[in-house]
Amino acid sequence: MEINFIKTPKKYEGNADAIISALFGLLGELLPVQERAVLRLQRLEQKQLTLAQKSVGLSEILEKCSREYAEAIAGNCTEKELALKHPGSIGQTAEYAYIKGEYTVDLTMKKADTAEVVTHYREGSQEKKHRFVMKFVGGKWLVDAVYNGNENERKWYYTEL
């Protein structure tokens, strides 16, 4: 993976491996959780169930996914990020599926304890991006905030992991 340093002094470039390893290690743990949730959701939608039964099934899927997420993010996020509901929703595809394919990474680090990692990727015909704010807490790089957006927009949307 190629890392593009954006407005990062040379003295901080040595932190890149630790930051990227922490972030992509976590995304690698979250991806199978997301993939299983998407598969469960697809199976639920294929069944001939009443609306009430589908609602119960969806609640069970979200509950199981939330438990698996909690296990994965424990010790990998700041209290600020842990306070959010994870996951906020389940989509038709796994949110971090792009880490299996092609994407680029920008790293910006202006302070010794804070870094921003921006991933640029394609989802279907759309070019998208994620911005992860990483904080160095207790000797470890943790996810503090997550944003997403479209590549052709300057605006970022606050979201959860």
Side-chain angles (χ1 to χ4, degrees), residues 71-91:
E71 290 173 15
I73 66 175
N76 293 302
C77 297
T78 63
E79 291 299 320
K80 174 182 159 188
E81 180 65 25
L82 288 172
L84 299 173
K85 181 181 177 194
H86 296 93
S89 63
I90 300 171

Side-chain angles (χ1 to χ4, degrees), residues 77-139:
C77 297
T78 63
E79 291 299 320
K80 174 182 159 188
E81 180 65 25
L82 288 172
L84 299 173
K85 181 181 177 194
H86 296 93
S89 63
I90 300 171
Q92 295 298 317
T93 59
E95 182 78 14
Y96 303 118
Y98 65 86
I99 67 171
K100 289 182 174 180
E102 292 185 29
Y103 58 95
T104 61
V105 176
D106 296 339
L107 177 76
T108 303
M109 190 171 176
K110 297 177 184 175
K111 298 187 319 185
D113 66 344
T114 305
E116 286 188 5
V117 178
V118 177
T119 57
H120 304 271
Y121 61 97
R122 269 189 106 69
E123 187 177 279
S125 63
Q126 292 185 326
E127 292 185 9
K128 295 189 162 199
K129 57 188 176 181
H130 274 118
R131 183 174 80 185
F132 302 91
V133 178
M134 305 291 289
K135 295 278 187 176
F136 193 67
V137 179

Side-chain angles (χ1 to χ4, degrees), residues 13-51:
E13 289 182 8
N15 295 323
D17 286 341
I19 295 165
I20 297 299
S21 292
L23 175 60
F24 284 92
L26 176 58
L27 297 182
E29 287 183 47
L30 292 177
L31 182 56
V33 173
Q34 292 174 343
E35 290 173 333
R36 286 190 299 270
V38 167
L39 185 59
R40 290 180 193 122
L41 185 61
Q42 289 170 348
R43 288 181 186 153
L44 178 68
E45 290 173 358
Q46 292 172 352
K47 293 181 180 178
Q48 299 292 329
L49 301 173
T50 66
L51 191 57

